[in-house]
Amino acid sequence: MPETRPDPSVAELFSGFFLVGVCGFGGVLPWARRMIVEQRQWLTPAEFTEMLGLCQFLPGGNIMNVTVALGSRFRGIAGAAAALVGLLAAPVAIVIALGAIYQQYADVPAVKRAFVALSAAACGYLLATAMKIVAPLRGRPVSIGIAIVTFVAVAVLRVPLLLALPVLALGSALLLAKVEA
């Protein structure tokens, strides 16, 4: 993180995550990374990837964990609460409103097609963000190998996440300690 940039205020944490929540249809991780790393520069790409990696091991939604961890890092409990409320306020209201509207028009063919198109666009955006998240691993072949093994174990072999994460975390920590020593 640049030393000349002051830590975000509680209000900045709320407003930043509020905008992420408003824009984050199809998933807020891409929007959160963009806001945190590229726009506001609260974290470097490597710091974001490390924080996300840690937050994936915690129970609950990854992005909510990142939000709480980041808010807490800069402003303690008040920052964590402000960031989380900012993230959730608009989506909760929007989802309730859209759910009520969708209930009325779910059988309309145009509505069905619109949802298929939206899901395809969201998948593309998520893949683009995944490439940005993995970028700090360039030049670190062991880390890339660990990421590939994790992907194969969870996505291809369907190893339950609850089993895969502790085993892979311990194994990767031991491997990286040995390689980097």
Side-chain angles (χ1 to χ4, degrees):
M1 191 165 66
E3 291 182 32
T4 58
R5 187 160 188 93
D7 291 348
S9 67
V10 170
E12 289 172 319
L13 288 164
F14 175 85
S15 66
F17 283 103
F18 182 82
L19 290 174
V20 166
V22 168
C23 296
F25 286 94
V28 296
L29 179 61
W31 292 98
R33 187 200 177 278
R34 182 175 181 214
M35 184 271 294
I36 294 166
V37 174
E38 297 170 15
Q39 294 173 335
R40 303 206 181 188
Q41 299 175 350
W42 291 342
L43 297 176
T44 65
E47 289 172 324
F48 181 85
T49 298
E50 289 169 10
M51 183 176 280
L52 177 62
L54 170 68
C55 290
Q56 287 178 328
F57 285 101
L58 301 173
N62 297 335
I63 192 59
M64 289 188 291
N65 293 341
V66 168
T67 301
V68 170
L70 186 80
S72 179
R73 173 180 174 169
F74 291 121
R75 296 293 170 193
I77 293 171
L84 185 62
V85 169
L87 179 70
L88 296 176
V92 167
I94 292 168
V95 166
I96 289 170
L98 287 177
I101 293 168
Y102 181 74
Q103 187 175 13
Q104 295 295 317
Y105 301 103
D107 294 329
V108 175
V111 172
K112 288 180 181 180
R113 286 191 302 273
F115 274 89
V116 169
L118 284 172
S119 64
C123 287
Y125 193 58
L126 185 61
L127 288 172
T129 299
M131 297 307 294
K132 289 180 181 180
I133 290 171
V134 80
L137 298 180
R138 284 189 204 135
R140 297 172 65 186
V142 174
S143 295
I144 291 171
I146 292 167
I148 291 169
V149 168
T150 302
F151 175 81
V152 169
V154 175
V156 177
L157 300 176
R158 306 271 190 214
V159 175
L161 197 56
L162 205 51
L163 174 64
L165 287 181
V167 170
L168 290 167
L170 180 60
S172 64
L174 293 172
L175 180 63
L176 284 173
K178 184 176 181 178
V179 170
E180 293 177 0

